[in-house]
Amino acid sequence: MIANYIDEFIMFCAGLWMTAVGYGYLPFQTSNQGNQITWLVRLVAQFKWMGPLLIAIAVILAIASPA
């Protein structure tokens, strides 16, 4: 039974991490690689909406999965 919820638990934790990084609660270290910095900064800025969306999907899947 608990094995059914492992995927949702991992998605929920990833969503929490993405949300925390997106809003600046957790640092996201970037190395100085020139052009990749701009791409990575834009990606981390998208975590503000991707994290909560991932949390919502994980909760919906956990509720909808058969017990």
Side-chain angles (χ1 to χ4, degrees):
M1 180 176 147
I2 194 80
N4 296 335
Y5 295 107
I6 290 175
D7 185 40
E8 287 86 6
F9 179 73
I10 292 170
M11 287 174 57
F12 186 80
C13 290
L16 285 176
W17 176 80
M18 288 174 73
T19 303
V21 170
Y23 283 103
Y25 294 118
L26 291 176
F28 190 77
Q29 299 297 329
T30 57
S31 60
N32 293 332
Q33 295 178 355
N35 205 10
Q36 279 189 330
I37 294 293
T38 306
W39 176 82
L40 201 52
V41 168
R42 283 188 287 157
L43 175 68
V44 171
Q46 299 300 314
F47 284 0
K48 288 182 181 180
W49 65 268
M50 285 192 291
L53 180 64
L54 192 58
I55 291 171
I57 291 171
V59 169
I60 291 169
L61 288 175
I63 292 170
S65 67

